[in-house]
Coordinates of all heavy atoms in Angstrom, one line a residue:
M1 N 11.7 -11.1 -26.8 CA 12.4 -11.6 -28.0 C 13.0 -12.9 -27.8 O 12.9 -13.8 -28.6 CB 13.4 -10.5 -28.3 CG 14.3 -10.9 -29.5 SD 13.4 -10.9 -31.1 CE 13.6 -9.3 -31.7
V2 N 13.7 -13.1 -26.7 CA 14.4 -14.4 -26.4 C 13.3 -15.5 -26.3 O 13.6 -16.6 -26.9 CB 15.2 -14.3 -25.1 CG1 15.8 -15.7 -24.7 CG2 16.4 -13.4 -25.4
P3 N 12.2 -15.4 -25.6 CA 11.3 -16.5 -25.6 C 10.8 -16.9 -27.0 O 10.6 -18.0 -27.3 CB 10.1 -16.0 -24.7 CG 10.8 -15.0 -23.8 CD 11.8 -14.3 -24.6
K4 N 10.6 -15.9 -27.8 CA 10.2 -16.2 -29.2 C 11.2 -17.0 -30.0 O 10.9 -17.9 -30.7 CB 9.9 -14.9 -29.9 CG 9.5 -15.0 -31.4 CD 8.1 -15.6 -31.5 CE 7.7 -15.5 -33.0 NZ 6.6 -16.3 -33.3
I5 N 12.5 -16.6 -29.8 CA 13.6 -17.3 -30.5 C 13.7 -18.8 -30.0 O 13.8 -19.7 -30.8 CB 14.9 -16.6 -30.2 CG1 14.9 -15.2 -31.0 CG2 16.1 -17.4 -30.7 CD1 16.1 -14.3 -30.6
I6 N 13.5 -19.0 -28.7 CA 13.6 -20.3 -28.1 C 12.4 -21.1 -28.6 O 12.6 -22.3 -29.0 CB 13.7 -20.3 -26.6 CG1 15.0 -19.7 -26.2 CG2 13.5 -21.6 -26.0 CD1 15.2 -19.4 -24.8
S7 N 11.2 -20.5 -28.7 CA 10.1 -21.2 -29.2 C 10.3 -21.7 -30.6 O 9.9 -22.8 -31.0 CB 8.9 -20.3 -29.1 OG 7.7 -20.9 -29.7
V8 N 10.8 -20.8 -31.5 CA 11.1 -21.2 -32.9 C 12.1 -22.3 -32.9 O 11.9 -23.3 -33.7 CB 11.5 -20.0 -33.7 CG1 12.1 -20.3 -35.0 CG2 10.4 -18.9 -33.8
M9 N 13.1 -22.2 -32.1 CA 14.2 -23.3 -32.1 C 13.6 -24.6 -31.6 O 14.0 -25.7 -32.1 CB 15.4 -22.8 -31.3 CG 16.2 -21.7 -32.0 SD 17.6 -21.3 -31.0 CE 18.7 -22.7 -31.3
Q10 N 12.7 -24.6 -30.7 CA 12.1 -25.8 -30.2 C 11.2 -26.5 -31.2 O 11.1 -27.7 -31.2 CB 11.3 -25.5 -28.9 CG 12.1 -25.3 -27.7 CD 11.3 -24.9 -26.5 OE1 10.3 -24.2 -26.6 NE2 11.7 -25.4 -25.3
N11 N 10.6 -25.7 -32.1 CA 9.8 -26.3 -33.1 C 10.6 -26.7 -34.4 O 10.0 -27.3 -35.2 CB 8.7 -25.3 -33.5 CG 7.7 -25.0 -32.4 OD1 7.5 -25.9 -31.6 ND2 7.2 -23.8 -32.4
D12 N 11.9 -26.4 -34.4 CA 12.7 -26.8 -35.5 C 13.0 -28.3 -35.4 O 13.4 -28.8 -34.3 CB 14.0 -26.0 -35.4 CG 14.9 -26.2 -36.6 OD1 14.4 -26.8 -37.6 OD2 16.1 -25.8 -36.6
A13 N 12.9 -29.0 -36.4 CA 13.1 -30.5 -36.4 C 14.6 -30.9 -36.7 O 14.8 -32.1 -36.7 CB 12.2 -31.1 -37.4
S14 N 15.5 -30.0 -36.9 CA 16.8 -30.3 -37.2 C 17.5 -30.9 -36.0 O 17.2 -30.7 -34.8 CB 17.6 -29.1 -37.7 OG 17.9 -28.3 -36.7
D15 N 18.6 -31.7 -36.3 CA 19.4 -32.3 -35.2 C 20.2 -31.3 -34.5 O 20.7 -31.6 -33.4 CB 20.3 -33.4 -35.8 CG 19.5 -34.6 -36.4 OD1 18.4 -34.8 -35.9 OD2 20.1 -35.3 -37.2
Q16 N 20.4 -30.2 -35.0 CA 21.3 -29.1 -34.4 C 20.6 -28.3 -33.4 O 21.2 -27.7 -32.5 CB 21.9 -28.2 -35.5 CG 22.8 -28.9 -36.5 CD 23.2 -28.0 -37.6 OE1 22.6 -26.9 -37.8 NE2 24.1 -28.5 -38.4
S17 N 19.3 -28.3 -33.4 CA 18.5 -27.5 -32.4 C 18.7 -27.8 -31.0 O 18.9 -26.9 -30.1 CB 17.0 -27.4 -32.8 OG 16.8 -26.7 -33.9
P18 N 18.6 -29.1 -30.5 CA 18.7 -29.4 -29.1 C 20.0 -29.0 -28.5 O 20.0 -28.3 -27.4 CB 18.5 -30.9 -29.0 CG 17.6 -31.2 -30.2 CD 18.1 -30.3 -31.3
P19 N 21.2 -29.3 -29.1 CA 22.4 -28.8 -28.5 C 22.6 -27.3 -28.5 O 23.1 -26.7 -27.5 CB 23.5 -29.4 -29.4 CG 22.9 -30.4 -30.3 CD 21.4 -30.1 -30.3
L20 N 22.1 -26.6 -29.5 CA 22.1 -25.2 -29.5 C 21.2 -24.6 -28.5 O 21.6 -23.6 -27.8 CB 21.7 -24.6 -30.9 CG 22.7 -24.8 -32.0 CD1 22.2 -24.4 -33.4 CD2 24.0 -24.1 -31.7
L21 N 20.1 -25.2 -28.3 CA 19.2 -24.7 -27.2 C 19.8 -24.8 -25.9 O 19.7 -24.0 -25.0 CB 17.8 -25.4 -27.3 CG 16.8 -24.8 -28.3 CD1 15.7 -25.8 -28.5 CD2 16.3 -23.5 -27.9
A22 N 20.4 -26.0 -25.6 CA 21.1 -26.2 -24.3 C 22.2 -25.2 -24.1 O 22.3 -24.6 -23.0 CB 21.6 -27.6 -24.3
R23 N 23.0 -24.9 -25.1 CA 24.1 -23.9 -25.0 C 23.5 -22.5 -24.8 O 24.0 -21.7 -24.0 CB 25.0 -24.0 -26.2 CG 25.8 -25.2 -26.4 CD 26.8 -25.4 -25.3 NE 27.7 -24.3 -25.1 CZ 29.0 -24.4 -25.4 NH1 29.5 -25.5 -25.9 NH2 29.7 -23.3 -25.3
L24 N 22.5 -22.2 -25.5 CA 21.8 -20.9 -25.3 C 21.2 -20.7 -23.9 O 21.4 -19.7 -23.3 CB 20.7 -20.7 -26.4 CG 19.9 -19.4 -26.3 CD1 20.8 -18.2 -26.5 CD2 18.8 -19.4 -27.4
A25 N 20.6 -21.8 -23.4 CA 20.1 -21.7 -22.1 C 21.2 -21.5 -21.0 O 21.0 -20.7 -20.1 CB 19.3 -23.0 -21.8
E26 N 22.3 -22.2 -21.2 CA 23.4 -22.1 -20.3 C 24.0 -20.6 -20.4 O 24.2 -20.0 -19.3 CB 24.5 -23.0 -20.7 CG 25.7 -23.0 -19.8 CD 26.7 -24.1 -20.2 OE1 26.5 -24.9 -21.1 OE2 27.8 -24.0 -19.6
L27 N 24.1 -20.1 -21.5 CA 24.6 -18.7 -21.7 C 23.6 -17.7 -21.1 O 24.1 -16.8 -20.4 CB 24.7 -18.4 -23.2 CG 25.1 -17.0 -23.5 CD1 26.5 -16.6 -23.0 CD2 25.0 -16.7 -25.0
L28 N 22.3 -17.9 -21.2 CA 21.4 -17.0 -20.6 C 21.4 -17.1 -19.1 O 21.3 -16.0 -18.4 CB 20.0 -17.3 -21.2 CG 19.7 -17.0 -22.6 CD1 18.4 -17.6 -23.1 CD2 19.8 -15.5 -22.8
H29 N 21.6 -18.3 -18.6 CA 21.7 -18.4 -17.1 C 22.9 -17.6 -16.6 O 22.8 -16.9 -15.6 CB 21.8 -19.9 -16.7 CG 20.6 -20.6 -16.5 ND1 19.8 -20.4 -15.4 CD2 19.9 -21.5 -17.3 CE1 18.7 -21.2 -15.5 NE2 18.8 -21.9 -16.6
V30 N 24.0 -17.7 -17.3 CA 25.2 -17.0 -16.9 C 25.0 -15.5 -17.0 O 25.3 -14.7 -16.0 CB 26.4 -17.4 -17.7 CG1 27.6 -16.5 -17.5 CG2 26.8 -18.9 -17.4
L31 N 24.4 -15.0 -18.1 CA 24.2 -13.6 -18.2 C 23.2 -13.1 -17.2 O 23.4 -11.9 -16.7 CB 23.7 -13.3 -19.7 CG 24.7 -13.5 -20.8 CD1 24.1 -13.4 -22.1 CD2 25.9 -12.5 -20.6
M32 N 22.2 -13.8 -16.9 CA 21.2 -13.3 -15.9 C 21.9 -13.3 -14.5 O 21.6 -12.4 -13.7 CB 20.0 -14.2 -15.9 CG 19.1 -14.0 -17.1 SD 17.5 -14.8 -17.0 CE 17.9 -16.5 -17.1
Y33 N 22.8 -14.2 -14.2 CA 23.5 -14.2 -13.0 C 24.5 -13.0 -12.9 O 24.5 -12.4 -11.9 CB 24.3 -15.5 -12.8 CG 25.1 -15.6 -11.6 CD1 24.5 -15.8 -10.3 CD2 26.5 -15.4 -11.6 CE1 25.3 -15.9 -9.2 CE2 27.3 -15.4 -10.5 CZ 26.7 -15.7 -9.3 OH 27.4 -15.7 -8.1
L34 N 25.2 -12.8 -14.0 CA 26.2 -11.7 -14.0 C 25.5 -10.3 -13.9 O 26.1 -9.4 -13.4 CB 27.1 -11.8 -15.2 CG 28.1 -12.9 -15.2 CD1 28.8 -13.0 -16.6 CD2 29.1 -12.8 -14.1
H35 N 24.4 -10.2 -14.5 CA 23.7 -8.9 -14.6 C 22.3 -9.0 -13.9 O 21.3 -8.7 -14.4 CB 23.5 -8.5 -16.1 CG 24.7 -8.5 -16.8 ND1 25.6 -7.4 -16.7 CD2 25.3 -9.3 -17.7 CE1 26.7 -7.6 -17.5 NE2 26.5 -8.8 -18.1
A36 N 22.4 -9.4 -12.6 CA 21.2 -9.6 -11.8 C 20.6 -8.2 -11.5 O 21.2 -7.2 -11.6 CB 21.6 -10.3 -10.5
G37 N 19.3 -8.3 -11.1 CA 18.6 -7.1 -10.7 C 17.5 -6.6 -11.7 O 17.0 -5.5 -11.5
F38 N 17.2 -7.4 -12.6 CA 16.1 -7.1 -13.6 C 15.1 -8.2 -13.7 O 14.9 -8.7 -14.8 CB 16.8 -6.8 -15.0 CG 17.8 -5.7 -15.0 CD1 19.1 -6.0 -14.9 CD2 17.4 -4.4 -15.0 CE1 20.1 -5.1 -14.9 CE2 18.4 -3.4 -15.0 CZ 19.7 -3.7 -14.9
P39 N 14.4 -8.5 -12.6 CA 13.5 -9.6 -12.6 C 12.3 -9.4 -13.6 O 11.9 -10.4 -14.2 CB 13.0 -9.7 -11.2 CG 13.3 -8.4 -10.6 CD 14.5 -7.9 -11.3
E40 N 11.9 -8.2 -13.8 CA 10.8 -8.0 -14.8 C 11.2 -8.4 -16.2 O 10.4 -8.7 -17.0 CB 10.3 -6.6 -14.7 CG 11.3 -5.5 -15.2 CD 12.3 -5.1 -14.1 OE1 12.2 -5.5 -13.0 OE2 13.2 -4.3 -14.5
L41 N 12.5 -8.3 -16.5 CA 13.0 -8.7 -17.8 C 13.4 -10.2 -17.9 O 13.2 -10.8 -18.9 CB 14.3 -7.9 -18.2 CG 14.1 -6.4 -18.4 CD1 15.4 -5.7 -18.6 CD2 13.2 -6.1 -19.5
Y42 N 13.9 -10.7 -16.8 CA 14.4 -12.1 -16.8 C 13.3 -13.1 -16.5 O 13.5 -14.3 -16.9 CB 15.5 -12.2 -15.7 CG 16.7 -11.4 -16.0 CD1 17.6 -11.0 -15.0 CD2 17.0 -10.9 -17.3 CE1 18.7 -10.2 -15.2 CE2 18.1 -10.1 -17.5 CZ 19.0 -9.8 -16.5 OH 20.1 -9.0 -16.7
D43 N 12.2 -12.8 -15.8 CA 11.2 -13.8 -15.5 C 10.7 -14.5 -16.8 O 10.6 -15.7 -16.8 CB 10.1 -13.2 -14.7 CG 10.5 -12.9 -13.3 OD1 11.5 -13.5 -12.8 OD2 9.7 -12.2 -12.6
P44 N 10.3 -13.8 -17.8 CA 9.8 -14.5 -19.0 C 10.9 -15.4 -19.6 O 10.6 -16.5 -20.1 CB 9.4 -13.4 -20.0 CG 9.3 -12.2 -19.2 CD 10.2 -12.3 -18.0
V45 N 12.1 -15.0 -19.6 CA 13.2 -15.7 -20.2 C 13.4 -17.0 -19.3 O 13.6 -18.1 -19.8 CB 14.5 -14.9 -20.3 CG1 15.7 -15.8 -20.7 CG2 14.3 -13.7 -21.2
Y46 N 13.5 -16.8 -18.0 CA 13.7 -17.9 -17.1 C 12.6 -19.0 -17.2 O 12.8 -20.2 -17.2 CB 13.8 -17.5 -15.7 CG 14.1 -18.6 -14.7 CD1 15.3 -19.2 -14.7 CD2 13.1 -19.1 -13.9 CE1 15.6 -20.3 -13.9 CE2 13.3 -20.2 -13.1 CZ 14.6 -20.8 -13.1 OH 14.8 -21.9 -12.3
D47 N 11.4 -18.5 -17.4 CA 10.2 -19.4 -17.5 C 10.4 -20.4 -18.8 O 10.0 -21.5 -18.7 CB 8.9 -18.7 -17.7 CG 8.5 -18.1 -16.4 OD1 9.0 -18.5 -15.3 OD2 7.7 -17.1 -16.4
V48 N 11.0 -19.9 -19.8 CA 11.2 -20.6 -21.0 C 12.4 -21.6 -20.9 O 12.4 -22.7 -21.4 CB 11.4 -19.7 -22.2 CG1 11.7 -20.4 -23.5 CG2 10.1 -18.9 -22.4
I49 N 13.5 -21.1 -20.2 CA 14.7 -21.9 -20.2 C 14.9 -22.8 -19.0 O 15.8 -23.6 -18.9 CB 16.0 -21.0 -20.3 CG1 16.2 -20.1 -19.1 CG2 16.0 -20.2 -21.6 CD1 17.5 -19.4 -19.1
K50 N 13.9 -22.8 -18.1 CA 14.1 -23.6 -16.9 C 14.0 -25.1 -17.1 O 14.4 -25.9 -16.3 CB 13.1 -23.2 -15.8 CG 11.6 -23.4 -16.1 CD 10.7 -22.9 -15.1 CE 9.3 -23.0 -15.5 NZ 8.4 -22.3 -14.5
V51 N 13.4 -25.5 -18.3 CA 13.3 -26.9 -18.6 C 14.7 -27.5 -19.1 O 14.8 -28.7 -19.1 CB 12.3 -27.1 -19.7 CG1 10.9 -26.7 -19.3 CG2 12.7 -26.4 -21.0
F52 N 15.6 -26.7 -19.4 CA 17.0 -27.1 -19.8 C 17.9 -27.3 -18.6 O 17.9 -26.5 -17.7 CB 17.6 -26.1 -20.7 CG 16.8 -25.9 -22.0 CD1 16.0 -24.9 -22.2 CD2 16.9 -26.9 -23.1 CE1 15.2 -24.7 -23.3 CE2 16.2 -26.7 -24.2 CZ 15.3 -25.6 -24.3
K53 N 18.6 -28.4 -18.6 CA 19.5 -28.7 -17.5 C 20.8 -27.8 -17.7 O 21.5 -27.9 -18.7 CB 19.9 -30.2 -17.5 CG 18.8 -31.1 -17.4 CD 18.2 -31.1 -16.0 CE 17.2 -32.1 -15.9 NZ 16.1 -31.8 -14.9
C54 N 21.1 -27.0 -16.7 CA 22.3 -26.2 -16.8 C 23.2 -26.5 -15.6 O 22.6 -26.7 -14.4 CB 21.9 -24.7 -16.7 SG 21.1 -24.2 -18.2
P55 N 24.5 -26.6 -15.8 CA 25.4 -26.9 -14.7 C 25.4 -25.9 -13.6 O 25.0 -24.8 -13.8 CB 26.7 -27.1 -15.3 CG 26.6 -26.7 -16.7 CD 25.2 -26.5 -17.0

């Protein structure tokens, strides 16, 4: 579900999409860190968000 949402947002031409995608990627990184232990669920998500720079 998350990879599909990110794909749709990446194809959106609005000016609001890039900052929202960056924030979403940051949030997903934090959530995957806090709730570690589910690589089969997180691998597809990580593959999609790894292109975003997260602190």
Side-chain angles (χ1 to χ4, degrees):
M1 179 67 93
V2 171
K4 176 72 172 167
I5 292 169
I6 292 175
S7 174
V8 169
M9 289 180 73
Q10 284 176 324
N11 292 330
D12 185 13
S14 74
D15 292 338
Q16 297 173 351
S17 288
L20 288 174
L21 276 169
R23 294 295 302 252
L24 179 59
E26 183 178 353
L27 174 64
L28 290 169
H29 273 284
V30 169
L31 289 173
M32 288 189 294
Y33 176 78
L34 290 174
H35 303 284
F38 303 97
E40 66 277 354
L41 295 175
Y42 297 157
D43 284 344
V45 175
Y46 181 74
D47 288 340
V48 174
I49 65 171
K50 66 183 175 188
V51 298
F52 298 98
K53 303 285 186 210
C54 291

